[in-house]
Amino acid sequence: MGGYLFYPPADAAQDRIWKDTVVHWGEAQAATYITGLHAHLKTLSETKALWRRLPSALAVPAGLNIQAFFSRYERHYLFFRALPSGKIGVMAILHERMDIPVRLHEDLSGIANKFEDL
């Protein structure tokens, strides 16, 4: 089936990416980057062979019984899970310069009670 949905941290991240890109490189570049990000997510949702299992060093917080995956799009890492509908649920989008283990733990802990909502 394919397709993707955003959890709140990932949705907020794409808004920040848009705003930061507009400020530094202009609206045309922001549109190009976000369009490419969405094209990458669409491809991921349709091609499970591209999924990479989240390494144990970036473990999902204790108590969350989910299997998480990641992919890279340009300078960002996308963290997602398979949803029962056949879509992927994008949980976090983190820039390569961020402290990824810390930020990922924060984003996943913040949505722990929302995993059944999508």
Side-chain angles (χ1 to χ4, degrees):
M1 175 182 186
Y4 53 93
L5 300 170
F6 289 97
Y7 284 94
D11 196 32
Q14 75 168 337
D15 290 344
R16 282 190 306 275
I17 292 166
W18 171 269
K19 289 174 187 171
D20 290 346
T21 306
V22 167
V23 167
H24 296 317
W25 294 283
E27 194 167 322
Q29 180 58 34
T32 298
Y33 195 85
I34 293 295
T35 300
L37 177 77
H38 283 261
H40 183 73
L41 287 168
K42 183 176 185 312
T43 300
L44 281 174
S45 74
E46 297 168 346
T47 315
K48 197 169 184 172
L50 298 175
W51 299 10
R52 300 294 171 251
R53 195 160 194 185
L54 194 62
S56 59
L58 296 175
V60 174
L64 296 183
N65 190 21
I66 62 164
Q67 194 172 44
F69 301 90
F70 77 99
S71 180
R72 184 177 178 134
Y73 173 73
E74 299 208 8
R75 302 232 179 238
H76 288 88
Y77 288 96
L78 313 171
F79 299 90
F80 58 94
R81 67 185 287 251
L83 298 174
S85 66
K87 296 180 180 184
I88 61 173
V90 184
M91 301 179 291
I93 304 172
L94 303 175
H95 191 274
E96 67 186 4
R97 291 186 180 173
M98 292 177 170
D99 185 340
I100 292 186
V102 170
R103 291 293 308 275
L104 182 60
H105 188 274
E106 289 171 357
D107 283 359
L108 294 183
S109 294
I111 60 175
N113 62 343
K114 298 182 188 312
F115 280 127
E116 304 307 321
D117 293 348
L118 292 183

